[in-house]
Amino acid sequence: MAIITYREALNQALREEMGRDDRVFLMGEEVGVYNGAYKVSKGLLEEFGEMRVVDTPITELGFAGVGVGAAMVGLRPVIEFMTWNFALLAIDQVVNAAAKMLYMSGGQYPMPMVFRGPNGAALQLSAQHSQDFESWLAHIPGLKVVTPGTPYDAKGLLKAAIRDDNPVIVLEGEMLYNTKGEVPEHDYIVPIGEAELKREGSDCSIITNGKMVLVAMNAADQLAKDGIRVDVVDLRTVRPMDVEAIITSVQKTNRAVVLEEGWEIAGIGAQVVDYIQRECFDHLDAPVIRVHQADVPMPYAKGLEKLAKPDLQKTIAAVRKVMYLD
Amino acid sequence: MPPKKRPDPRALPGDPALRRELFHSMLLQRRFEEKVGEAYALGKIGGFCHLYIGQEAVSTGILSMLRPDDYVITTYRDHGQALARGMSPRAIMAELFGRVDGCSRGKGGSMHLFDRNLNFLGGHGIVGGHVPVAAGVGFAIKYRGGDQVIVCFMGESVVNTGAFHEALNMAALWKLPCLFIIENNKYGMGTAVERAAAIKDLDRRADSYQGMHGEHVDGQDVFAVREATERALEICRKESRPALLEIRTYRFMGHSMSDAVSGTYRTKAELDEQLKRDPVWMLKARMLEAGDCTEADVAEMEREIKTICQDAWDFADASPEPSAEALYEDVLVDTVS
């Protein structure tokens, strides 16, 4: 199997789906001539032409709405936000239009479209460019929200998102674009709504998603050196969430750490913990601990930024704590 | 050479049958909405309900010029356009009553009338939000190489939103077949247009975008609306370029059913003055004068329309409320393509 980057995996997904269905088009800032702000769309303009790889003005609200309108009349837009921070200007189209159209039209207008782009913090980009919006978006009925953490999942989930007849949010990671992994060259999808047990252990579950999957895997490696074996449950999709996968793991290990990139209050982890307390109450040997971003806007200074982010050390500390080792 | 015969200034455009059709469309909207007001007062209709009374020449004038395969998108003040596009009065009334036979199966209500069969892409509730959506429909038309047009109705307060400018810029940049209609009824809720827009002639917003046709027109004269629409549609359809029409009209009712008709932000004297230019009765007077119809013909039409409106009410009243299972239906579709 070929080893390629997360960025190349997304590029393959776009290329394959645009080749498969001529209703699919890519629209956003710098997706064409510039080959993508993060080069995800590299080569696509040349291959598919300017009607299907559309450079837009800097006008998030406008082009998100163009996607909504095109989806209403049968095209299958992939709308790229250069980052999800900028998508706040377009949130009316995501929340009030894309997510609501099917319901408020009594089922007449499905919205087969994708909104995608990098989400969350990179390095020292400070407050306005380092935010994780997964819990905001997962809050909205009418949307599906996927958060691929590996190249394999990036390709499979983006392809599934493009084929889905609902609006799907694809949250990528700027820090993931260069990560590598095995990706099949043949056509495959990763079903939306299915978690994956990325690593098997018996002592504690780490339930996580997106960019934090790598952190959890590293933590699992470190903990293994001390003889602690953890389950790493990668949710992959945060709406709809694979509750069964969470329950199965926690009922086996009896302990859980929930690791997420975003802020604590009303975060994805809060929802995971709710499922755990409802379904695994009698199985728990310790309170569940959450690892998340500090409850502050992201600071610029390197040291402060490190303090603010969830990371390997914080995750290891949390696992040791739920195991009553520290 | 004999002198050219001057056209009779009193002559009306079109033939008498067409004019009767236009009058029928406008009168149906008027009487239907009066019935809606009655139902609202009785508690049969809830929520926000924005009446179109006074603006009927706009919907009829524009929509009578469209082809069936063209697209229409509009705001939350959508009953008049839905009727003028040919939606069933029964399905509209049932929607307003929140019943399963409503055009949106009771899920949308007054602000969200949709009809896929008529390419009626809905009433939308966020001021300005649907204008980029219209640009997207225009994009899809061009993507497929079609010659349809999307007509996007909006109130005059939309011209001050960012969404409006973002959409018009892209429509002009990409030469999309979008006809943007500003229905200037003088008030954005209770704020007079002069207190909201730093521009007098709203159609001049078109000047900001290269190649965009802009024009303003008397919205109480259905023929003037039709003529301006014809010119604009020609540009949209034949040249695949956007156009912007400011249609100057007036809302005879409050902003919504919960809003006083006059007394707060506008005077009764102003309203009375505007009522002299009621588009429905102006058209009737012109048709009587032209000999298109008699008072007796109009009375007959009134009777027919009264029956249609009562039938819509009875149908809506008899239609069941959505079942509890409907609550979770149509949040997502199950299909994958």
Side-chain angles (χ1 to χ4, degrees), chain A:
Chain A
M1 211 183 297
I3 307 260
I4 62 170
T5 62
Y6 187 99
R7 176 196 328 275
E8 288 162 341
L10 291 168
N11 183 271
Q12 279 186 9
L14 288 168
R15 176 174 281 111
E16 288 175 17
E17 293 308 303
M18 289 177 75
R20 177 179 181 264
D21 185 342
D22 61 16
R23 296 170 299 174
V24 179
F25 69 94
L26 175 67
M27 174 175 277
E29 294 155 5
E30 310 289 4
V31 297
V33 174
Y34 195 85
N35 273 315
Y38 295 99
K39 307 300 173 205
V40 169
S41 55
K42 192 174 175 185
L44 297 181
L45 173 64
E46 202 181 339
E47 187 167 343
F48 295 103
E50 61 185 15
M51 205 64 215
R52 298 188 64 198
V53 180
V54 188
D55 278 326
T56 66
I58 298 176
T59 180
E60 279 81 8
L61 169 58
F63 68 75
V66 168
V68 168
M72 280 187 90
V73 297
L75 298 186
R76 306 182 73 84
V78 178
I79 300 298
E80 175 174 314
F81 292 121
M82 194 182 287
T83 85
W84 276 91
N85 301 287
F86 312 154
L88 293 196
L89 289 162
I91 206 72
D92 177 58
Q93 294 299 338
V94 178
V95 174
N96 271 322
K100 307 285 193 289
M101 208 67 79
L102 182 72
Y103 199 79
M104 69 184 187
S105 68
Q108 294 181 78
Y109 284 99
M111 299 297 300
M113 67 185 304
V114 171
F115 294 104
R116 52 157 288 271
N119 169 62
L123 289 174
Q124 283 196 283
L125 298 181
S126 71
Q128 292 183 328
H129 285 71
S130 313
Q131 307 176 81
D132 173 14
F133 294 108
E134 61 193 30
S135 73
W136 283 42
L137 294 157
H139 195 62
I140 308 297
L143 299 178
K144 294 183 179 183
V145 183
V146 303
T147 60
T150 66
Y152 179 92
D153 290 339
K155 181 172 174 182
L157 282 170
L158 179 53
K159 283 166 72 77
I162 293 170
R163 292 182 198 183
D164 202 291
D165 286 342
N166 297 290
V168 183
I169 308 291
V170 181
L171 301 175
E172 301 159 9
E174 188 182 332
M175 300 302 289
L176 293 177
Y177 285 137
N178 278 337
T179 59
K180 289 186 174 174
E182 288 189 338
V183 175
E185 275 144 55
H186 64 79
D187 182 44
Y188 72 97
I189 62 154
V190 170
I192 293 173
E194 282 186 19
E196 186 181 51
L197 189 60
K198 284 266 193 307
R199 184 170 177 126
E200 198 158 0
S202 52
D203 298 328
C204 177
S205 303
I206 301 178
I207 295 140
T208 190
N209 67 296
K211 205 183 293 175
M212 293 298 110
V213 172
L214 279 181
V215 175
M217 297 298 279
N218 285 338
D221 287 342
Q222 296 289 315
L223 288 160
K225 291 176 189 165
D226 296 327
I228 301 164
R229 290 159 303 159
V230 299
D231 255 12
V232 175
V233 179
D234 176 2
L235 294 169
R236 299 200 290 194
T237 300
V238 291
R239 174 184 269 274
M241 211 181 273
D242 188 347
V243 183
E244 202 53 46
I246 299 169
I247 296 168
T248 304
S249 176
V250 176
Q251 289 190 350
K252 179 181 73 177
T253 64
N254 310 113
R255 296 168 200 273
V257 166
V258 184
L259 166 62
E260 69 198 291
E261 187 180 1
W263 289 295
E264 176 183 18
I265 309 297
I268 289 294
Q271 186 61 38
V272 174
V273 172
D274 178 57
Y275 290 134
I276 294 173
Q277 65 84 20
R278 269 192 276 168
E279 304 293 338
C280 310
F281 190 77
D282 292 327
H283 292 81
L284 287 177
D285 288 342
V288 179
I289 293 184
R290 291 174 60 195
V291 181
H292 45 76
Q293 193 198 313
D295 197 21
V296 296
M298 189 64 81
Y300 167 72
K302 247 186 193 169
L304 290 180
E305 187 188 45
K306 182 166 169 36
L307 283 176
K309 284 176 169 176
D311 65 7
L312 179 66
Q313 285 73 31
K314 288 169 193 165
T315 306
I316 290 171
V319 171
R320 294 184 64 86
K321 191 166 178 193
V322 296
M323 295 193 63
Y324 297 129
L325 294 171
D326 291 328

